[in-house]
Amino acid sequence: MRTHQQNSEASNEEVGTSVGISRRQVLAGGAAGIGGLLAGGFLGTGTASACSAVGFQGVRLRGKPRQVIWANGAIADWNLSYDVGSIDACRFLGWSYKKVGMPQTTYSSSQVVQVVNEVIALKPDVLITPDWVEGEGVLFAKAQKAGIFVIVNNATNYLDQLTNLGIAAATSNPNVLGQKSGTVLVNALAAAGKKSGSIIMGNPYPQNTNQQGVVVGCQAAIAAGNKAHGTNFVGVELADNSGTDEVGAIGLWKAKITQLGSSFIGGFAVADSTTQAAVKAYQGSNFHAGQYPLAAVDVTTASLQEMASGWVLCVVDAGFYMQGWLPVMLAWQALERGYPPSGATDCSGSAYTKSAVKGLIAANNMQIALGKDYGVALA
């Protein structure tokens, strides 16, 4: 998913909320750019203060202003709509919001655990975080014991633990995302007259249950498509490490394409870092746009531009904005209205192709503008 910063320097910093939009712009800034974002101190900027709220004054029995912190062990450009959604919701309620975390370029399980621990020490009213790695469940229980309301977004990789702790979630089903995007890809290949061949499925973090679920969904779409069209397409998994090494990932894609030879017919990108690596590998191999369809999942500025120009076949709305908005509102429901939420809500939407790109770009541009206005940090 997505220049390197020393863990020791980042561990005690909050990355508030960003003006950088494209991942390439973030990486171009280097460590100095990240340091500049952190220079304001641990509490950072980009909070949604109570005085900036809209309409909440008319709500009776609204309780005290609450502090919401998103603990994020993989800060990168994909955060944008999550941040905007949470800030919008906090402003409606007169609550405050900030994001605490470390860059995705140094992502690891220990980093995720470290970030959650740091947020617990800050004692917010509400802790939002993805359920990515083993060990978070113990920390969630610790937070609850400290009186912190915990709610999950982005991933529910250890759902049994969440259920036992009574923690609700607003996520997207990774299997469904993979199926939606994979179905568009298989149908496009069949419509182009392809009868057999290999589809490279790039995954930046195969050890991550959430990411691997997207691969499983794509494999299911390939199997269903083969049955429906009488084709013999095969998904070939590639651990491309694009989240931490884009240059290396480009090389891995080129090597796999060469290895498959004439059997290569298309690609599938589990995350946007893979989308960017695959597009660059295509371009570096002198392919033309659309020659080998590339199905993607993440909706980003780059992937939308690539869909408009024909390099990307489709993207899927994973409901990132709602995954930011809904946890805040569910926390309000529990803390101020006495109705604890439960279970996981799937916030995902449809798969989109080039015909819908104009509207998606407009919506994305609105998120970018709001992110700049709110001071959202993506590095």
Side-chain angles (χ1 to χ4, degrees):
M1 311 183 219
R2 310 347 148 205
T3 11
H4 286 272
Q5 179 176 352
Q6 304 235 345
N7 286 359
S8 60
E9 295 174 346
S11 62
N12 291 323
E13 302 291 350
E14 178 213 348
V15 185
T17 24
S18 102
V19 292
I21 299 305
S22 125
R23 174 177 176 267
R24 289 184 287 274
Q25 290 171 327
V26 169
L27 294 179
I34 293 174
L37 285 170
L38 299 178
F42 186 75
L43 293 181
T45 60
T47 59
S49 63
C51 64
S52 65
V54 178
F56 77 95
Q57 294 92 340
V59 178
R60 301 292 301 276
L61 301 176
R62 61 178 181 268
K64 68 177 184 179
R66 304 279 187 173
Q67 181 189 48
V68 177
I69 297 182
W70 186 25
N72 187 333
I75 293 179
D77 58 350
W78 64 267
N79 298 177
L80 177 62
S81 288
Y82 284 87
D83 284 313
V84 171
S86 290
I87 294 170
D88 278 351
C90 282
R91 289 191 170 205
F92 271 109
L93 299 175
W95 290 6
S96 65
Y97 168 88
K98 63 174 173 276
K99 175 170 62 181
V100 173
M102 295 167 68
Q104 183 169 281
T105 50
T106 57
Y107 177 87
S108 67
S109 294
S110 61
Q111 176 168 297
V112 171
V113 170
Q114 179 182 346
V115 168
V116 175
N117 252 324
E118 289 175 354
V119 172
I120 293 171
L122 292 174
K123 299 181 179 179
D125 297 290
V126 180
L127 164 62
I128 304 173
T129 192
D131 180 31
W132 279 333
V133 303
E134 186 66 58
E136 286 186 275
V138 173
L139 297 181
F140 296 162
K142 175 183 174 182
Q144 290 177 325
K145 188 175 181 180
I148 300 170
F149 182 83
V150 180
I151 189 163
V152 161
N153 64 2
N154 184 264
T156 54
N157 290 343
Y158 301 92
L159 191 57
D160 287 347
Q161 292 182 12
L162 298 181
T163 300
N164 290 338
L165 292 169
I167 295 174
T171 64
S172 54
N173 186 315
N175 191 289
V176 173
L177 296 178
Q179 287 185 46
K180 289 177 178 178
S181 184
T183 297
V184 174
L185 175 59
V186 170
N187 288 345
L189 290 169
K194 300 292 184 181
K195 297 297 183 183
S196 63
S198 300
I199 298 167
I200 298 176
M201 301 184 300
N203 186 352
Y205 299 108
Q207 73 276 17
N208 184 297
T209 305
N210 198 42
Q211 302 276 270
Q212 192 61 27
V214 180
V215 174
V216 172
C218 181
Q219 291 280 31
I222 292 171
N226 284 338
K227 185 175 181 180
H229 301 296
T231 51
N232 186 27
F233 302 142
V234 177
V236 178
E237 295 189 44
L238 174 65
D240 60 30
N241 303 313
S242 57
T244 54
D245 183 6
E246 184 182 68
V247 173
I250 294 168
L252 289 172
W253 269 84
K254 285 183 176 180
K256 181 59 71 174
I257 290 169
T258 299
Q259 178 188 0
L260 293 174
S262 60
S263 72
F264 173 63
I265 56 173
F268 177 85
V270 167
D272 189 61
S273 58
T274 289
T275 304
Q276 302 317 309
V279 168
K280 290 180 176 67
Y282 278 21
Q283 294 169 340
S285 300
N286 296 317
F287 298 159
H288 61 75
Q291 181 176 353
Y292 295 99
L294 175 66
V297 174
D298 290 350
V299 178
T300 66
T301 300
S303 66
L304 291 177
Q305 292 170 344
E306 289 152 355
M307 191 162 71
S309 59
W311 288 103
V312 169
L313 173 67
C314 65
V315 294
V316 181
D317 174 19
F320 285 3
Y321 177 86
M322 185 53 65
Q323 290 187 51
W325 167 281
L326 189 57
V328 176
M329 290 300 180
L330 291 175
W332 161 270
Q333 173 183 303
L335 296 175
E336 305 302 343
R337 292 298 177 262
Y339 293 104
S342 65
T345 301
D346 186 349
C347 300
S348 62
S350 301
Y352 295 99
T353 58
K354 190 174 183 178
S355 62
V357 74
K358 184 176 180 180
L360 289 173
I361 288 175
N364 187 65
N365 287 342
M366 180 186 293
Q367 297 292 297
I368 292 171
L370 288 168
K372 287 182 177 180
D373 183 54
Y374 292 156
V376 171
L378 302 179

